[in-house]
Amino acid sequence: MLNYVWIGLVLIGVLAAAGSDIYDASSNRYRNGEQFELQYDSTNASAGRVSLTREYFNKFYGVAIESPDTLNFPATLTGNSLKITTDDNSPELWRTVAKTDDNSNQIIAKVEARRGSELTILLPTTSLVKTKAVLDAVISYSELAVKIALGLIGVMAFWLGIMKLAEDSGMIKIIARVMKPVMVRVFPDVPPDHPAIGAMIMNIAANMLGLNNAATPLGLKAMDELDKLNPNKGTATNAMVTFLAINTAGLTLIPATAIAIRAAVGSKDPTIILLTSFFGAGLATIAGILAAKLLQRLKVYRISEPPGESEGGASK
Amino acid sequence: MIKQILEALSIIAIPLIVAAFVAYAAKKKVPVYESFVAGAKGGFEVAIKIIPYLVAMLVAIGIFRASGAMEILVSALSPVARLIGMPPEALPMALLRPLSGSGSLGLMADIMKKYGPDSFTGILVSTMYGSSETTFYVLAVYFGAVNVYRTRHAVAAGLIADAVGMLGALFICRILFG
């Protein structure tokens, strides 16, 4: 199924980008090649501000932005090149023009005529906006993936070291024993004293406490242990899927990130979501476990390629 | 009060666990340093192993997000959202949450800035954020670490969990704050 999701994301993405660019081009959304008029007031030799009315902007682009009444941008004028700086509050159209033009927040326009402070300019030709964005995404997300993976090395090494200690000392078995009644029900295919159980418990505990740095390494350790019980390498086992379903539900006692953002944007009661998100994630966890248990019986999800001799976990 | 206890717990948990594990290993006469290093050796390997899986997943999600397909999907699904009592502004959050952690974080902040963190929509989107994990990231990383590419029902189970989490968030928020 991951195959289909992957194909879907890539193809829908590329097609939507192409479609949106074709539509933009046919309606000349960015008014390429049309002259634009605005007011330029210099504060010193090269720097100044440009301003125009909202009405003019709306009429020019055929849009309906609602505020402010006068649009104002810092700008520099050198020769017949006008550099307009946009920011997060600028109209989206101009932000897109700036971004697509040279991947910054500046629009470099050509001055066609000048009468006192009145400028007639030609904005840079803007086309293939979404396609360029897709191209940028491919590169930046590839880099992000490597950055995330490399960033894991340190904490990963640390927790694998600690887990090895716990294994060698037998600590992991003690942890496993404490939760045995629950774990044998949720993970019937895993022997109750297997190190995988201990690692899974530690991962779930770390998630509950919001220790994200520890949760991922512990979870990967648990996956490694589960894979030792896997007769079909490369194919997920029932236990792995159940474990992942628990992880994707993300049950946590303190949703620290959400609370921090709430506080940052000025909430009077940032922790009001403690109960609600515990409820939501709790339901998600239960649903995930049940879904994993029910779906593993479906024919399409049975392990289709038995190894040398048929092990047939789900087919009995 | 409970919150303070939990916060304190999450701070002392790691030092406590580490100390307990080391002490117990020492008591059991395990060569602590040697054993730690032997385990830690695997860290690099695991991190490198997940790179191809993570690249594949994040690039596909990146393409999807950059293309604007999300906006199209949101406008197509808005009537459905309205039908179940979800403000359409919160719909992008429900759709983006399983795909992108940083994306949904930014979106949550934007929505709360626009509608106010203590408005119904603000509470709902932050509850939604807290009610789920970034499913596709978890899938890529966890399965990548053990080279599993035939994931069977993992995507379906993960997405069902997400859908229930989002609907659960909506349900409880409507009861308590709606």
Side-chain angles (χ1 to χ4, degrees):
Chain A
M1 184 159 173
L2 206 48
N3 274 319
Y4 297 115
V5 172
W6 204 77
I7 295 170
L9 287 172
V10 173
L11 287 189
I12 292 173
V14 172
L15 289 177
S20 141
D21 284 345
I22 291 168
Y23 179 77
D24 285 355
S26 66
S27 63
N28 197 10
R29 181 165 186 232
Y30 296 96
R31 303 294 185 260
N32 289 324
E34 291 180 24
Q35 290 184 330
F36 193 89
E37 281 168 15
L38 41 66
Q39 183 109 11
Y40 176 78
D41 301 297
S42 56
T43 42
N44 60 43
S46 61
R49 298 189 74 80
V50 291
S51 56
L52 56 134
T53 63
R54 173 168 61 99
E55 218 174 315
Y56 180 76
F57 188 91
N58 280 347
K59 202 172 151 221
F60 184 80
Y61 285 110
V63 291
I65 59 166
E66 279 164 6
S67 63
D69 281 342
T70 311
L71 297 161
N72 248 306
F73 304 91
T76 55
L77 183 61
T78 37
N80 64 348
S81 146
L82 179 73
K83 212 182 260 180
I84 304 168
T85 306
T86 63
D87 62 29
D88 285 351
N89 297 320
S90 308
E92 203 198 326
L93 266 160
W94 272 25
R95 269 186 290 151
T96 311
V97 170
K99 192 152 186 294
T100 313
D101 187 27
D102 65 344
N103 217 354
S104 72
N105 59 349
Q106 292 190 323
I107 298 173
I108 299 161
K110 205 172 133 226
V111 179
E112 299 272 285
R114 184 170 182 182
R115 272 164 282 104
S117 62
E118 298 278 333
L119 295 186
T120 303
I121 60 164
L122 209 51
L123 290 160
T125 306
T126 304
S127 60
L128 296 178
V129 170
K130 294 290 183 192
T131 312
K132 278 179 193 157
V134 165
L135 178 66
D136 284 346
V138 168
I139 294 159
S140 64
Y141 277 79
S142 310
E143 284 169 0
L144 178 67
V146 174
K147 217 157 114 195
I148 291 174
L150 293 185
L152 264 178
I153 295 177
V155 273
M156 193 72 221
F158 173 75
W159 282 104
L160 287 179
I162 292 291
M163 288 303 279
K164 179 84 168 101
L165 268 186
E167 239 176 279
D168 290 351
S169 65
M171 185 78 168
I172 206 91
K173 279 189 182 158
I174 298 175
I175 294 171
R177 217 169 293 149
V178 179
M179 296 292 291
K180 194 176 165 184
V182 182
M183 296 305 267
V184 289
R185 285 215 176 86
V186 182
F187 301 101
D189 315 338
V190 184
D193 56 348
H194 195 275
I197 296 284
M200 287 194 286
I201 292 171
M202 298 219 10
N203 160 269
I204 294 166
N207 271 327
M208 294 279 271
L209 291 172
L211 308 172
N212 293 328
N213 282 333
T216 306
L218 291 168
L220 297 189
K221 170 72 179 164
M223 288 300 279
D224 185 48
E225 293 295 340
L226 287 174
D227 201 45
K228 288 180 186 162
L229 299 166
N230 186 1
N232 304 274
K233 298 290 179 221
T235 303
T237 63
N238 290 343
M240 284 179 182
V241 174
T242 310
F243 178 56
L244 274 224
I246 295 172
N247 260 281
T248 58
L251 187 60
T252 178
L253 297 172
I254 320 171
T257 319
I259 291 175
I261 301 282
R262 286 180 60 76
V265 296
S267 167
K268 281 196 204 84
D269 191 358
T271 57
I272 199 168
I273 60 158
L274 267 178
L275 186 83
T276 53
S277 65
F278 188 78
F279 178 86
L283 276 191
T285 306
I286 296 166
I289 295 173
L290 289 180
K293 297 270 164 209
L294 292 174
L295 291 172
Q296 73 192 26
R297 300 184 192 177
L298 291 186
K299 214 172 178 181
V300 273
Y301 292 129
R302 288 212 189 124
I303 296 161
S304 49
E305 287 171 54
E309 51 228 75
S310 155
E311 195 89 18
S315 57
K316 337 179 220 193
Chain B
M1 180 58 184
I2 295 170
K3 197 200 141 220
Q4 264 103 16
I5 295 171
L6 287 174
E7 264 174 3
L9 200 63
S10 71
I11 292 166
I12 56 170
I14 289 181
L16 210 63
I17 290 168
V18 171
F21 280 26
V22 172
Y24 187 75
K27 191 183 148 227
K28 288 274 164 182
K29 304 261 182 312
V30 173
V32 182
Y33 183 74
E34 251 179 83
S35 175
F36 179 90
V37 173
K41 258 181 205 155
F44 186 77
E45 199 191 315
V46 175
I48 299 306
K49 234 181 188 174
I50 63 175
I51 289 180
Y53 296 89
L54 211 48
V55 169
M57 187 58 80
L58 292 190
V59 166
I61 289 167
I63 290 175
F64 183 78
R65 289 196 53 209
S67 71
M70 192 61 134
E71 286 78 13
I72 300 171
L73 198 62
V74 166
S75 48
L77 289 178
S78 279
V80 183
R82 251 187 230 107
L83 202 67
I84 57 170
M86 181 192 285
E89 311 85 77
L91 185 61
M93 188 67 193
L95 297 175
L96 191 59
R97 186 71 192 97
L99 289 176
S100 166
S102 58
S104 51
L105 187 68
L107 187 63
M108 169 176 70
D110 284 348
I111 293 176
M112 286 200 293
K113 265 184 224 151
K114 197 164 171 193
Y115 299 95
D118 299 317
S119 67
F120 177 72
T121 306
I123 292 174
L124 178 62
V125 291
S126 42
T127 299
M128 280 176 162
Y129 184 87
S131 294
S132 185
E133 253 303 326
T134 316
T135 298
F136 286 99
Y137 170 80
V138 172
L139 286 178
V141 171
Y142 280 42
F143 279 138
V146 289
N147 282 328
V148 164
Y149 40 88
R150 283 185 293 268
T151 57
R152 296 173 61 219
H153 50 307
V155 178
L159 290 181
I160 289 173
D162 288 334
V164 171
M166 294 299 133
L167 293 174
L170 176 65
F171 174 77
I172 192 80
C173 285
R174 276 188 70 94
I175 286 185
L176 296 180
F177 310 108

